[in-house]
Amino acid sequence: MSLYGMIKWNTIPEPVSFNPLKHHAGFIKKFSDKYSVVSEERILKEIIPELKHIGNSVADIYTGKLSPKDICREILTIMKKEGLSDEKHFIDWIGFPVKEYRKFSLSDKSQWVAKYLANNKRYFHIFPGRNDCHTIRSRGNSLKTAILFDILFDKGDIILRDLNSVRKMLALSPIVKIEAASGIINDIRLIQNLKPLQI
């Protein structure tokens, strides 16, 4: 079962674009737990392609209690309240082209960002705001490494050989010294200690 078997794109209503595997801590844990007993073949065919959607850039990760479906429901409510019935109204709402994004809050007081994706039917791109009490920040390659590590290894010691075996599967450069992996180790420990999302 792929990521979109757990939350399919068609359950994320258009025109919203939201990647919970990059931006939702509970979803990340659910994904990791779902694949913890699969073969290496399935990892290569199913998991790694999904992880590539995380990209290489910075990832702000929501750690609050709202599920991806809750978040999408609240986005639809905001759209209705603000009269965002189409792309033109959305562009006006964020102030494009002077501004490319707009900040807003959800019911749990978490801060989010709406960004305009041009030439995309899912033009309403959302992600957690940085420097928020419900948000932690990671880097794309660190997050990908941490998720795959959590799938493949138990909660014991994190050793360089295991980290580099994961990074090789992801086609990422090896880490020379374990001391250089503090960000990845922090991400691994975070994922290991999360509670999975109930979906």
Side-chain angles (χ1 to χ4, degrees):
M1 182 181 287
S2 73
L3 163 66
Y4 303 116
M6 291 170 19
I7 179 168
K8 297 179 181 177
W9 269 118
N10 62 18
T11 68
I12 298 176
E14 291 182 7
V16 178
S17 171
F18 174 50
N19 183 351
L21 188 57
K22 181 176 182 178
H23 295 300
H24 196 288
F27 186 88
I28 291 167
K29 182 60 176 174
K30 182 75 173 181
F31 179 87
S32 176
D33 287 353
K34 188 86 175 172
Y35 283 108
S36 62
V37 292
V38 300
S39 66
E40 184 172 336
E41 180 184 5
R42 284 192 68 193
I43 288 170
L44 293 171
K45 286 178 69 174
E46 297 178 27
I47 298 170
I48 290 176
E50 297 289 2
L51 293 176
K52 287 183 179 178
H53 289 290
I54 292 173
N56 304 325
S57 62
V58 170
D60 290 306
I61 305 168
Y62 170 74
T63 59
K65 294 183 178 179
L66 296 174
S67 72
K69 290 180 181 178
D70 293 332
I71 292 166
C72 288
R73 275 194 292 268
E74 293 199 19
I75 295 297
L76 292 178
T77 300
I78 290 170
M79 290 179 70
K80 185 175 181 180
K81 179 181 176 183
E82 298 289 339
L84 308 180
S85 56
D86 55 36
E87 189 170 358
K88 181 186 180 306
H89 288 94
F90 175 74
I91 289 170
D92 291 343
W93 182 68
I94 65 170
F96 188 84
V98 177
K99 289 178 62 180
E100 293 186 354
Y101 65 90
R102 179 168 174 165
K103 296 179 182 178
F104 62 96
S105 298
L106 295 183
S107 61
D108 64 350
K109 309 302 181 191
S110 59
Q111 299 296 304
W112 289 75
V113 177
K115 187 173 182 179
Y116 175 53
L117 293 183
N119 304 313
N120 193 318
K121 65 181 180 180
R122 293 183 178 275
Y123 55 82
F124 197 132
H125 180 51
I126 62 165
F127 51 91
R130 61 183 297 187
N131 301 324
D132 180 70
C133 63
H134 296 284
T135 303
I136 56 171
R137 175 161 273 207
S138 180
R139 297 197 171 276
N141 288 338
S142 174
L143 181 59
K144 285 183 279 192
T145 303
I147 293 170
L148 190 54
F149 187 95
D150 189 57
I151 289 169
L152 292 172
F153 296 99
D154 294 327
K155 282 192 174 184
D157 294 337
I158 299 171
I159 60 176
L160 191 61
R161 182 185 67 241
D162 295 340
L163 279 177
N164 281 332
S165 69
V166 167
R167 289 179 69 81
K168 185 176 181 180
M169 294 176 79
L170 291 165
L172 298 173
S173 59
I175 298 163
V176 178
K177 294 182 179 180
I178 195 70
E179 293 79 13
S182 59
I184 297 170
I185 291 170
N186 288 340
D187 285 352
I188 291 168
R189 293 303 186 207
L190 170 74
I191 293 170
Q192 288 175 338
N193 293 320
L194 285 170
K195 293 183 179 178
L197 181 69
Q198 299 301 313
I199 55 175

